[in-house]
Amino acid sequence: MVKVIMGSRGSGKTKKMIDLVNKALTEEIGNVVCMEKGQNMRLNVKPSAKLIDVTEYPAVNGYDTLMAFINGIYAGNYDVTHVFIDSLYKIAACDDADQAGAFLEKLEKFSQTTGMKFTIMISADVATAPESISKFF
């Protein structure tokens, strides 16, 4: 399962993401991972979540390396059941919607194979989302 939360800056996406992470921590049987660029959510997410600041991993630069990084997370811990990605365009260092859509397709296939769930936040106007992204709303 891949779910996208999309909206313009200031639309409440981060608050919603924090609420979903904390809810998943109480409902999920496995481990919950939250990826972000920087440390904006550290004080608001319960400490039982694995918070990953991707700036500490300079190899994550683009959608292919992000996918490889997610594969590495799964290979290192099969107990991860849900991954939250805050600000996909910032983490991937690419705001091309078509490339993001192709990444989401790969992530959906990975999710079906592994059983991991993904919730991804994209900061952009919903009206500009191509079908490859909007089908994950």
Side-chain angles (χ1 to χ4, degrees), residues 21 31-35 49-52 73 80 82-85:
V21 171
N31 296 319
V32 174
V33 173
C34 184
M35 298 172 64
K50 170 64 176 161
L51 293 170
I52 298 173
I73 290 170
V80 174
H82 205 136
V83 175
F84 291 85
I85 301 175

Side-chain angles (χ1 to χ4, degrees), residues 45-89:
V45 172
K46 294 178 184 175
S48 54
K50 170 64 176 161
L51 293 170
I52 298 173
D53 177 359
V54 296
T55 62
E56 296 174 5
Y57 304 91
V60 177
N61 189 14
Y63 292 107
D64 289 339
T65 56
L66 179 57
M67 191 67 205
F69 191 76
I70 291 168
N71 277 267
I73 290 170
Y74 181 71
N77 185 352
Y78 294 114
D79 291 336
V80 174
T81 56
H82 205 136
V83 175
F84 291 85
I85 301 175
D86 182 37
S87 298
L88 178 64
Y89 289 167

Side-chain angles (χ1 to χ4, degrees), residues 121-133:
M121 186 175 71
I122 298 176
S123 293
D125 185 2
V126 174
T128 65
E131 165 64 21
S132 61
I133 292 177

Side-chain angles (χ1 to χ4, degrees), residues 1-4 67 70-71 82-83 85 88 99-120 131-137:
M1 177 208 81
V2 174
K3 180 172 173 43
V4 171
M67 191 67 205
I70 291 168
N71 277 267
H82 205 136
V83 175
I85 301 175
L88 178 64
Q99 288 184 40
F103 168 77
L104 294 174
E105 290 290 338
K106 289 178 187 175
L107 204 56
E108 177 68 22
K109 289 178 184 172
F110 183 74
S111 174
Q112 291 169 355
T113 302
T114 62
M116 288 175 67
K117 294 182 260 182
F118 295 90
T119 302
I120 299 166
E131 165 64 21
S132 61
I133 292 177
S134 63
K135 70 181 186 179
F136 294 104
F137 289 166

